[in-house]
Amino acid sequence: MADTSQKPNTKGLYIKTYGCQANVYDSERMRDVLKPLGYAPVDSPEAAELVVINTCHIREKATEKVFSELGRLRDLKQANGGTLRIAVAGCVAQAEGEEIMRREPAVDMVVGPQSYHRLPEMIARLSRKTGDVLETDFAAEEKFDALPKTRDVSGASAFLAVQEGCDKFCTFCVVPYTRGAEFSRGADAIIAEARELARQGVKEIVLIGQNVNAWHGAAPAHDGRGGEWGLGDLIRHVAKIGGVERIRYTTSHPRDMADDLLGAHRDVEQLAPFLHLPVQAGSDRILKAMNRQHTAADYLRIIERARAARPDIAFASDFIVGFPGESDADFEATLQLVRDVGFAQAYSFKYSPRPGTPAAGMQLQVAEAIKDERLARLQSLLNAQAQAFNDATIGRKISVLFSRDGRRDGQALGYSPYMQSVHVDGGAHMTGRMAEIEIVGATMTSLKGRLVAATAEATA
Ligand code: 5AD
Ligand code: SF4
């Protein structure tokens, strides 16, 4: 738990996070950056001196939330006599910074995803009333060098950013414009951060990046072999750090699914047998219009290679329905691909035109009613697959990392290697631990587990 009781001389900091894991990581790092200035997390905007809205620009709905949230904060600022500081961070800040400053004068600072290490100087400029309070440079390297080497984490699982940005330019996506070009952090810095997390008791490290499997870097001197490392090599080295019991990585692109990564799935015991590999669509015509740079057959081949490396591997994916020009036959091809693979989990979305992306200006935009109908059909297939996958775990013993208390009294909530949430009654003492759990029930979204007698004794 974050310490929410404000100490004398500390200033309340409230960060509201929208969007992907990268934003969750960035919010944590903003807390680390602001800590030396006396900012400590509080539970509500009302208790804060500084509120940061860490925004998401990926779909229209996500972006709309920002301005309604800012309206509420403006009222709060007026009510407390104007002393509250409001900062907008994240991808909407990057894409629409000037517009935010113009439309909502209550906003004091706008800071993009590669510039938040500059928050302390921005706050100083703000109190001196000098200089710019809008920072949207693309300098991922500088950011990582400038961030504090210590991390303040409290849970059993933590994100570790290894890669940023994207050069793929899928025609529907804003990420290459908001997060900038692909950048891989150096292996030594990543391993040092992983050690720091393990030292603080973190058991699961989730390596994150918009194109995490594009990560590459010079082999550190201690490797002895020289040359380049890929994500598979990095995973092998993170696995050697004492206390690291589980490793995951997300999100990957089919183009970058290299042999060394599949080899890590074969060899590294702690690497979860789970691959989140967005495919977006199953029609080659649509994949081409999306500029995905792979076909449906390429995708199915990767699935085969992954299964050959690790037979118990499970797959998750992202889908977009109603991309411009998508016909009934194209949509059928998506359903067919889903049937061919069999997914454990999936995220599916209606295509949302994003300003400045090529697809937004394409002919043959699909009517909303058709998008709704396709999304419902796709989700009912994916939901049935998720239910079947979860049902198949009943009666098995699987390792669960317990992250926090469940909703019911005495209940613990944890995650399986397949990212299923697992509820265990009478397991409250398990928080922060990893244990073998017998699965006794399943819904589409979660599992029910029972402490195995030996585990309960060993960990009591
Ligand atoms: N419309 C709908 N979904 C989108 N995604 C990205 N851009 C859009 C868009 N314009 C989805 C993709 C991606 C996930 C993070 O969000 O499926 O993998
Ligand atoms: Fe967006 Fe495509 Fe890059 Fe993923 S690979 S972040 S969908 S442009």
Side-chain angles (χ1 to χ4, degrees):
M1 274 291 289
D3 181 6
T4 52
S5 58
Q6 247 193 76
K7 297 178 191 77
N9 304 322
T10 67
K11 289 166 274 188
L13 168 67
Y14 183 80
I15 305 186
K16 178 140 192 174
T17 309
Y18 294 96
C20 64
Q21 292 97 341
N23 270 13
V24 175
Y25 178 85
D26 290 344
S27 290
E28 279 175 21
R29 302 311 324 259
M30 282 189 249
R31 280 183 206 108
D32 293 338
V33 166
L34 292 169
K35 195 176 171 183
L37 275 68
Y39 286 97
V42 290
D43 276 342
S44 69
E46 286 75 16
E49 266 89 22
L50 172 62
V51 174
V52 181
I53 308 292
N54 197 3
T55 60
C56 173
H57 199 46
I58 197 96
R59 286 171 293 275
E60 198 180 354
K61 254 195 202 151
T63 307
E64 278 167 7
K65 289 187 191 146
V66 177
F67 284 100
S68 52
E69 186 73 40
L70 287 177
R72 279 193 292 277
L73 289 174
R74 182 211 315 128
D75 295 345
L76 181 63
K77 185 171 184 165
Q78 270 163 9
N80 82 3
T83 54
L84 176 71
R85 300 286 198 210
I86 302 173
V88 181
C91 291
V92 182
Q94 186 69 42
E96 295 180 13
E98 309 263 352
E99 169 78 3
I100 293 169
M101 291 295 235
R102 197 179 55 73
R103 253 178 81 179
E104 192 44 88
V107 170
D108 298 291
M109 291 172 280
V110 168
V111 61
Q114 309 302 0
S115 311
Y116 60 79
H117 57 291
R118 301 204 191 122
L119 271 169
E121 34 172 305
M122 292 172 76
I123 290 171
R125 285 203 295 260
L126 192 64
S127 42
R128 290 197 308 267
K129 295 191 171 51
T130 54
D132 213 347
V133 284
L134 187 144
E135 293 277 3
T136 48
D137 279 0
F138 282 129
E141 191 168 1
E142 181 197 311
K143 174 184 75 177
F144 284 116
D145 286 346
L147 286 174
K149 299 290 172 260
T150 51
R151 292 222 12 210
D152 205 0
V153 290
S154 51
S157 176
F159 291 138
L160 200 176
V162 301
Q163 181 277 341
E164 282 258 15
C166 180
D167 294 334
K168 301 279 190 301
F169 290 93
C170 298
T171 53
F172 53 81
C173 188
V174 287
V175 167
Y177 312 96
T178 58
R179 291 241 164 206
E182 242 168 62
F183 168 77
S184 292
R185 281 178 81 188
D188 278 331
I190 294 167
I191 289 171
E193 192 170 326
R195 281 210 185 95
E196 160 75 3
L197 292 171
R199 189 184 64 78
Q200 295 199 35
V202 167
K203 298 201 164 71
E204 175 185 77
I205 293 184
V206 187
L207 306 175
I208 60 167
Q210 272 83 34
N211 264 284
V212 71
N213 60 339
W215 183 88
H216 60 98
H222 60 77
D223 183 44
R225 288 179 306 166
E228 277 257 309
W229 275 9
L231 187 64
D233 297 294
L234 187 65
I235 287 170
R236 285 172 203 271
H237 284 78
V238 171
K240 287 184 191 151
I241 298 170
V244 176
E245 295 185 36
R246 192 192 277 169
I247 301 170
R248 297 195 282 118
Y249 61 97
T250 196
T251 298
S252 298
H253 191 286
R255 285 267 306 202
D256 296 316
M257 214 56 223
D259 283 336
D260 85 302
L261 182 52
L262 294 174
H265 272 292
R266 187 187 55 230
D267 303 333
V268 179
E269 206 193 326
Q270 297 109 306
L271 181 58
F274 186 78
L275 174 56
H276 182 193
L277 193 64
V279 65
Q280 316 296 357
S283 147
D284 288 345
R285 211 173 63 81
I286 295 298
L287 288 169
K288 192 158 197 300
M290 287 176 161
N291 190 32
R292 289 290 294 175
Q293 304 171 52
H294 64 82
T295 63
D298 294 334
Y299 186 84
L300 294 173
R301 261 193 300 277
I302 296 167
I303 300 289
E304 253 172 54
R305 282 163 60 215
R307 284 199 169 118
R310 181 81 205 225
D312 62 346
I313 198 165
F315 300 98
S317 198
D318 296 355
F319 297 90
I320 295 176
V321 299
F323 184 82
E326 186 187 68
S327 67
D328 285 343
D330 292 322
F331 176 62
E332 273 307 319
T334 298
L335 295 177
Q336 191 52 47
L337 180 137
V338 172
R339 286 185 209 105
D340 289 344
V341 175
F343 290 97
Q345 272 166 38
Y347 303 89
S348 46
F349 311 99
K350 289 190 285 184
Y351 169 66
S352 165
R354 307 306 293 126
T357 59
M362 285 180 186
Q363 306 290 307
L364 300 173
Q365 297 286 328
V366 174
E368 210 54 27
I370 295 178
K371 288 185 195 169
D372 284 332
E373 191 230 337
R374 287 181 186 164
L375 187 67
R377 283 182 63 201
L378 175 62
Q379 288 187 337
S380 101
L381 177 59
L382 290 165
N383 289 348
Q385 292 192 342
Q387 179 77 60
F389 182 78
N390 288 354
D391 284 346
T393 59
I394 295 177
R396 280 181 58 194
K397 288 196 191 77
I398 51 181
S399 72
V400 174
L401 179 64
F402 287 96
S403 49
R404 57 187 161 93
D405 294 346
R407 241 177 293 152
R408 288 217 304 267
D409 216 19
Q411 194 182 53
L413 174 65
Y415 289 89
S416 78
Y418 302 113
M419 284 304 290
Q420 298 144 302
S421 45
V422 185
H423 300 269
V424 176
D425 286 330
H429 61 289
M430 298 298 293
T431 302
R433 299 182 194 175
M434 189 138 122
E436 290 287 306
I437 296 295
E438 185 182 346
I439 303 304
V440 293
T443 69
M444 197 185 80
T445 51
S446 71
L447 304 179
K448 191 170 163 48
R450 188 164 63 197
L451 289 179
V452 183
T455 318
E457 277 160 29
T459 55

